Structures are given as structure tokens and as C-alpha cells.
Amino acid sequence: MMAAAGFDPAALGLAGTGNPDVGARIISPSVKLSESPAVGVHPTFTVIEPAEARAVIGYGDGTIRALGLVLDGAQPSVVAQVSATPIAAAADIGGAGVLIGTDGGELLRLGGSAVTRLAETGGPWVGEIAVHSGKGLRAFAAAKTLTVLDAEGAVVFSASDHPSTVAGLTFSPDGTRIAAAHYDGVSVWSLTDAKQKPVRLDWHGSHTAVAWSPNGQFIVTAMQDKEMHCWRWKDRTGMRMSGYPSKIRAVTWTADGQYVAASGADTVTSWDCSGKGPSGKPPLEFGYVYDGVVRQVAAHPADHVVAGGYSDGTVLIGAIEQETAMIARPASGHAVTGLAWTADGATLVATDESGAVAVMRILEPVVS
Amino acid sequence: MQQAKVPVTLITGYLGAGKTTLLNRILTEQHGKKYAVIVNEFGEEGIDNDLVVDADEEIFEMNNGCICCTVRGDLIRIISTLMKRADDFDGMIIETTGLADPAPVVQTFFVDEDVQAKVALDAVVTVVDACHFLDAVDEEHELAEQVAFADIILLNKTDLVDGDKLNAVKAKISSLNRMAKVIETVKSQVPIADVLDRGAFDLSRVLEFEPGLLDEEDDHEHDENIISISLKTDNPIEPEKFSNWIRGFITERGVDVLRTKGILNLSGQENRYVFQGVHMVMDSAWGAPWGGDARSSRLVFIGRNLDEAELRSAFDGCTVAA
Ligand SMILES: [Zn+2]
Ligand SMILES: [Zn+2]
């Protein structure tokens, strides 16, 4: 039942030093970059808040900073200070406000510059957050417990039956289910029938992130074992995507659900999930960077385009099918920690370990 | 810009052996330094530190199907998050539960990239209760493993035992682990410099290690219990032969081999070749030049189901002369 999709970077000549001829065609830059000075603190999350037209960034010193999406090179300004380390975040329902989870066990909501507390665990870190705007639902996970709140903040669902700490959360596109990644697989819970047992998608090992394809057909996880796993939701068939030289920190789906892209190699790798899925098809690649490994990926909100953030601070924007990329931000020497697109796909925000924020405006469409 | 990695000290030992006393001693004597303390259980004794993080001991097998390749998922999360804080830590101290297997903790520092990038395991310190050790060690395999993994063994409560018993305890410890430094203490009173900043996993400091060679003829043939075996040869080692043998051995027997350390005199090389390993995870580098020093190769294995005669002949088979 398990089929290896067959990605082997070594076989492709991409492991180690890499092959600059593969996926290395850089198309001419058509991006305007504005770079803020380093803050000197490590960012912990990077989120776009559409309602305020700003990027909201959490830092390891507990500051929450915001930056308007204009190209003025300003440093992000402190809008709030929280008492513990903010470790997870997502734009709140309707893109207004930002939900923040902390290692103090709190689920907070930032609205403007005001912070309110939505939930408190009494200890366990709030390490995962997901929001479904259409259904008006907010989910968070702390240790083995997953909790779903409605727009008023009332608990509408809760489940603790997970084999380990929940390390990833994703709503189904229609908001009727929620999937939690953990050790040895994923638990998919029904939000419409509380009596239903969860659907368990099993694969041995520690799953550290999960993303449901926007077309509802696939659930993909990133694993501690330097690989990804992908299940076809319809029949639960699992597929293994292995051979990555480093840990996969991020996975991202294109808006139509055709491609899933991942970090972890020295190029951005995108798997074609059309038809029966990625089985047997090698991934498409772009953006080989000398001495850099992809740390973050974020799919464009409309096109078959993905932004990749590298361990040397480079940000590339690439067209998946053309296997070409443009440099949106040159190497800063500090690993990229976060990437986020605005909903219109015209602006990309990146943060790196120095705390610097890069705002990139796309001047021409990447794909014609 | 290569930042110095934050040193992490792992304190293991049975409940009541004196781990928390040692921890508090470090924290009070190293006053003015900033430590993050990660504990698995809050003991009766409080911990005198600003930052104490509760760990939940999630042991994750890696997907290669090998049961010795395990990491601690909770430590990956905790350490990655701590290193994003603005605080500049002088160090981290992890205190495990009395029953914890040290292997997944130790391997986390060599397997996970995020942890490896920011921190370095400095030493495994195992606190042993001289009074109860002999009774407990045969019953509880974790206790033997904690001693086997140690770089430093605090032989504590020595005031509560007589000379004969103390010698018996020391003999047992040395059969389990021939490379650890054993420090006899009362109430975990030890000069802090003896337990911190030891660089026990730092290859550039492997040279400081002197395996205790026992003169006894091998009296444990293929022992199921944990034993330590040290090997020595003056004949130069043929690099290819050695590399083929050690790779094969570790792949096949990684589950049983808890720790390995070696300094090799490779034929035709001016520098020492040093390596160390934890189960299947191996790390090696060139060490200092031999210069005028007498050249010899030393190897220590700590593990179970080890056959000393077999290992000795395999090691001898890696020499140029063989
Ligand atoms: Zn193994
Ligand atoms: Zn064990």
C-alpha cells in the first residue's frame, strides 16, 4: 500500500554540494525589497493580519511587533509585550486580530495593540494554532489536548486522546474536521459528530507539521525523520516522500491543491498531487543556493508559485512548473525563520534569525 | 559568525541518590550565572532557579526501524524554544527521572539539527548512592545504563558505607564503565569545576581521556550484562580496514553498544584520529599531532553482549601488520 515517491536528492546530484545546473535558472528580479534593521532577537512567528494591513511578528523576548506593508525600511514597532515566549500564531477569524500561543500555557488574542486571554492551560505550552474563518472556529493544542473554540470563545470540541504532544493542526477546507499530527501519525476528528471516533492515519515516527490540501484531497505531514508523508483522504492511501538531507520544517499547498512544496533540501521541492497523487513522480525543483538549505516555504495565494527562505537568509520566489526562481532578497547570513504572503499575492514578508524583516513587493507577475 | 554553543549537563541517577542536591549546589555556587533547568519530575526538594521547565519525556523512535535510534521529542521543543529567548544562558542542566534511559536524551544532541546548531552536550553526570547501588544495579537495568553512559560518576553517600562495601561498589562501577571519572562524595559535595565544562563529547578533548585498563584476564565472555572493554595496540591502524570493521560492527550491534571512544594511530598520519559514539551515532575528527609521543591506539566500548576476545581480535585485524 505504501509507495515511495522516489525522491532521492543524491541520485539527482543534489545532495551535499548540489548541482547548480538543476533548478538553478534564476529569472531576472522584478521585486522591490525593503529591509528593516535587525532587532537582535529571534522571531518566533510571522503572520499577516489583513484587516490591519500589517505583518505581526512575535519575538523570543516576548515582544509582539508590527510592521505596515509599505516599503519604507522601518523597524517593526512593539505593539504588545507578553509574559511568556510566544511560540505559535495565526491570523484570527476573518483576518482581524492575531491568535498567539505561549510557553506560559496561554492562548492570547492581539487586537490592535490590546492583548486579551482566550484560554489558559495551567501549564502545558500552547504550541499549535489553526483558524477556520468560514466556520468561525479557532483551534489550539497544548500537550496531548486539542481544543476548538467558537468565535465567542466557547469550547465547542476537545480531545485528549493523542499518543504524544500534538505537533501540528489543520482544519479540513470545509471546516467540518480537524487533523492533529503527533507521534506515529495523524488523528482526524469530526467536528459535526462528537461521537465519531477519530480517523487514524498511521505512519511510524514523529510527525511535526500537518497541512490539508485546499481541495480537500490530501493530508501531508513533515517528519522528524527528514521525510514527508502524504495520505489520500478518500481511501487513506499513504505515500512516503523521503530522501531529504535535512529536517523538514515547513510544508505548503498551492491554492488549488495541485502541488505541495517543502523545505529540507537545497532547492524548493514541489510534488505534483494531481491525479492519484505524487507516487512515482519526482518532485519539481527550483532555487539551488550555494551553501544554503531551504528552511521555510510559503505558497502564493493564487498561482503555482512558492517562496523559499534559506538557511543563509536568501529568499527566492519560484515558478513551480517552469522550475525557475528569482532572488527576492539576497543572503543576510541569518536563517529565514518565517515567510508570509498577503492575500492578494502582491507582497511577501520574511523574517530571519537576526530579527530583521524583509518586505518584498512583486512588481511583475512571476508566471505569465 | 560562529557563536559558542551553550553547554548542557545531563544529571542522571536513581531517586534519592542526590541529583537535586547536586543541581542546587551548582545553581548556588555558580551564582550570577544563568542556567535553564529542565526536569522531568518535581522532587520533594525545591529547585532554586528562575527558569525551571517541566519536561514530559516523549521518546520518539526514528523511522529507520532501529530501536536504539531514539530522540526526546519534548527536549527538541524545549531547547529550540529556550534558544529563541533573549536570555543568554551560561548553560542548561537536564535532570532526568530515576528510571530514565539516558540514551534518547544523549542522542537528541547528536541527531536533531535544531538542537545541534545551538547547544552541545557537555557531560553526563551520574549520581550513585553508594549505600544502595549493589542491591539495585542487578534489579534495575536503567541504573546500569545510567552508569554506563556517564562521563562523571558521583559516588555519593560514601560516609554511610564501610571500606569493603565501597571497594565492591567501585569495582562494579569500573566493570560497567571504564572511562568515567569517579568522584567520591558526601552529600553531593564536589568542586563544581569537576562536573561543569568537561567537554566530554568534544572531540578536541577526547585526548584527555585515559581509559582505566584493568589487568584482569577477560572474565566476562559474551556477557549479557553491561561491561566496558578497553583495547590497546602499538601497531599502526590501517584506516580502510578499521573503517570497514567499525561501520559494520556499529550498524549490526548499535543497539548493544552504548558508548564508544577511541584515539587511533593511523598508519602514515601525523595526527591522532579521535572518535566517539553513542549507539549508532558516530562522530570523528583529527586530533593533535603525535610529535615525539609514543604512538598507540586505544579504544573503549561500553555495552552489553560484548565479547572481549572477539573485539580484540577484530581490532588487531585492523593493524597494518595483520
Ligand atoms: Zn540504531
Ligand atoms: Zn534501556
Side-chain angles (χ1 to χ4, degrees), chain B residues 6-7 23-37 48-51 87-93 192-193 196-197:
Chain B
V6 172
L23 176 59
N24 277 332
R25 195 172 286 280
I26 294 170
L27 295 172
T28 40
E29 286 189 25
Q30 297 287 99
H31 195 70
K33 291 205 171 178
K34 208 165 180 178
Y35 289 92
V37 175
D48 186 19
N49 197 50
D50 288 342
L51 184 62
D87 316 85
D88 284 320
F89 295 114
D90 296 293
M92 288 188 193
I93 303 171
I192 298 306
L196 293 184
D197 191 28

Side-chain angles (χ1 to χ4, degrees), chain B residues 99-104 141-142 145 149 226 258 279 304:
Chain B
L99 293 172
D101 181 351
H141 86 107
E142 294 86 1
E145 280 179 17
F149 265 102
I226 294 171
L258 306 181
H279 281 310
R304 60 173 79 77

Side-chain angles (χ1 to χ4, degrees), chain B residues 66 68-69 280:
Chain B
C66 174
C68 77
C69 295
M280 291 166 87

Side-chain angles (χ1 to χ4, degrees), chain A residues 225-290:
Chain A
D225 300 88
K226 303 179 180 176
E227 58 185 61
M228 299 156 74
H229 211 81
C230 183
W231 288 271
R232 192 161 56 211
W233 176 241
K234 187 175 63 181
D235 57 7
R236 325 298 195 227
T237 303
M239 285 154 280
R240 180 183 185 188
M241 290 110 113
S242 60
Y244 283 83
S246 80
K247 189 156 139 181
I248 300 175
R249 291 169 174 81
V251 289
T252 185
W253 286 98
T254 56
D256 59 0
Q258 183 177 345
Y259 293 99
V260 62
S263 68
D266 50 10
T267 57
V268 173
T269 50
S270 303
W271 301 82
D272 185 352
C273 295
S274 56
K276 288 194 163 178
S279 248
K281 300 177 224 171
L284 297 164
E285 295 176 73
F286 67 76
Y288 168 79
V289 168
Y290 182 73

Side-chain angles (χ1 to χ4, degrees), chain A residues 42 44 60-61 85 87 103 125 164-165 183 203-206 223-227 246-247 249 353, chain B residues 1 53 56 58-64 71 76-78 81 83-86 111-114 118:
Chain A
H42 199 303
T44 56
D61 60 357
T85 318
I87 53 175
D103 67 0
W125 299 9
S164 75
T165 295
Y183 187 50
W203 183 251
H204 188 46
S206 168
M223 297 186 67
Q224 174 72 30
D225 300 88
K226 303 179 180 176
E227 58 185 61
S246 80
K247 189 156 139 181
R249 291 169 174 81
E353 284 188 346
Chain B
M1 188 182 63
V53 184
D56 41 13
E58 290 188 337
I59 298 174
F60 294 160
E61 281 172 23
M62 302 297 283
N63 217 345
N64 61 4
V71 294
I76 294 172
R77 280 194 298 276
I78 290 168
T81 300
M83 293 311 295
K84 289 175 193 164
R85 289 197 186 209
V111 170
D112 186 77
E113 292 161 33
D114 294 328
K118 308 278 183 191

Side-chain angles (χ1 to χ4, degrees), chain B residues 239-258:
Chain B
E240 227 155 274
K241 285 187 198 168
F242 180 79
S243 138
N244 286 340
W245 169 62
I246 197 80
R247 269 175 218 238
F249 180 71
I250 290 302
T251 308
E252 209 179 299
R253 303 288 306 284
V255 177
D256 287 333
V257 180
L258 306 181

